[in-house]
Amino acid sequence: MTTKHTTGTLSRERLVKAAQDLHWKHGVAATTPRQVLERSGVGQGSLYHHFPTKRDLSLAAVTRTVEEMLESARSALLASSTPPQRIREYLSHPRDAVAGCRVGRLTADAAVMSDSELQNLIADYFVELIAIVTDVFAEDGMDRTKAQQRATAAIATVQGGYVISRALGDPQPMSDATNGMLELLEQKSST
């Protein structure tokens, strides 16, 4: 019984991970169950046992992606260093700029944006990310309204860096965008 349960859990995990990777590379709409099966190495019976529909699999994979990305952001932004250092680390964190944001890319996916539950996961991700970054700015003594504006600008800078880097096939725009934002933040804090 335990072996069967463990095998089932491993199969489910492999399917979700494969779907996450394929969603990042191709998008939800373009990812097929066959591609997920091939990438995961799991049998077709396991796929349909765990995820009777493509949407069920997509929901599990997008949910996991959002959770992982938020956890990564929390880890970076709630570390023990000072608030300005944490913002610097968040903005300068190494990213695969040309590949794009695992969550941000989903906003251009028709299958995600036309499904209210999937779209809400993406919206909730950005709401939570803005709240986390807002808390860091506010922790440094900034009023909440200004902190939220700065947080939104910082996140928009990262997302825009992804978009321009993907469009040009060059990671430099991400670096330029985040370095530019850091310079602006440092100018504001020294005045």
Side-chain angles (χ1 to χ4, degrees), residues 74 79 89 105 147:
R74 276 188 204 96
E89 288 170 18
R105 285 189 61 182

Side-chain angles (χ1 to χ4, degrees), residues 108-158:
D109 192 310
V112 172
M113 300 312 285
S114 65
D115 181 308
S116 63
E117 196 169 4
L118 289 171
Q119 191 274 333
N120 285 337
L121 284 169
I122 304 308
D124 290 347
Y125 166 80
F126 283 107
V127 167
E128 180 67 18
L129 184 58
I130 290 168
I132 293 167
V133 179
T134 297
D135 288 345
V136 176
F137 279 115
E139 183 184 335
D140 201 34
M142 191 177 292
D143 75 77
R144 294 294 298 178
T145 299
K146 188 177 243 181
Q148 184 171 346
Q149 291 169 346
R150 289 244 179 119
T152 303
I155 293 164
T157 297
V158 171

Side-chain angles (χ1 to χ4, degrees), residues 24-185:
W24 189 25
K25 186 174 182 179
H26 304 293
V28 173
T31 298
T32 67
R34 174 168 285 186
Q35 289 171 316
V36 173
L37 285 171
E38 289 172 4
R39 185 170 202 117
S40 70
V42 172
Q44 187 172 354
S46 288
L47 172 65
Y48 293 108
H49 168 75
H50 294 291
F51 305 105
T53 67
K54 177 182 173 179
R55 183 185 178 279
D56 294 331
L57 176 59
S58 297
L59 187 58
V62 170
T63 298
R64 175 74 56 78
T65 296
V66 165
E67 289 169 351
E68 289 174 355
M69 296 297 290
L70 281 172
E71 185 54 38
S72 175
R74 276 188 204 96
S75 293
L77 288 161
L78 302 177
S80 61
S81 59
T82 67
Q85 288 171 325
R86 293 194 318 255
I87 294 296
R88 247 183 259 112
E89 288 170 18
Y90 169 72
L91 287 168
S92 60
H93 179 75
R95 294 173 170 87
D96 188 349
V98 174
C101 175
R102 287 181 174 265
V103 178
R105 285 189 61 182
L106 295 174
T107 63
D109 192 310
V112 172
M113 300 312 285
S114 65
D115 181 308
S116 63
E117 196 169 4
L118 289 171
Q119 191 274 333
N120 285 337
L121 284 169
I122 304 308
D124 290 347
Y125 166 80
F126 283 107
V127 167
E128 180 67 18
L129 184 58
I130 290 168
I132 293 167
V133 179
T134 297
D135 288 345
V136 176
F137 279 115
E139 183 184 335
D140 201 34
M142 191 177 292
D143 75 77
R144 294 294 298 178
T145 299
K146 188 177 243 181
Q148 184 171 346
Q149 291 169 346
R150 289 244 179 119
T152 303
I155 293 164
T157 297
V158 171
Q159 290 300 314
Y162 277 125
V163 169
I164 297 169
S165 288
R166 277 189 55 75
L168 299 178
D170 180 1
Q172 191 60 46
M174 173 65 84
S175 181
D176 291 345
T178 55
N179 287 335
M181 176 57 80
L182 284 168
E183 187 177 313
L184 288 171
L185 290 172

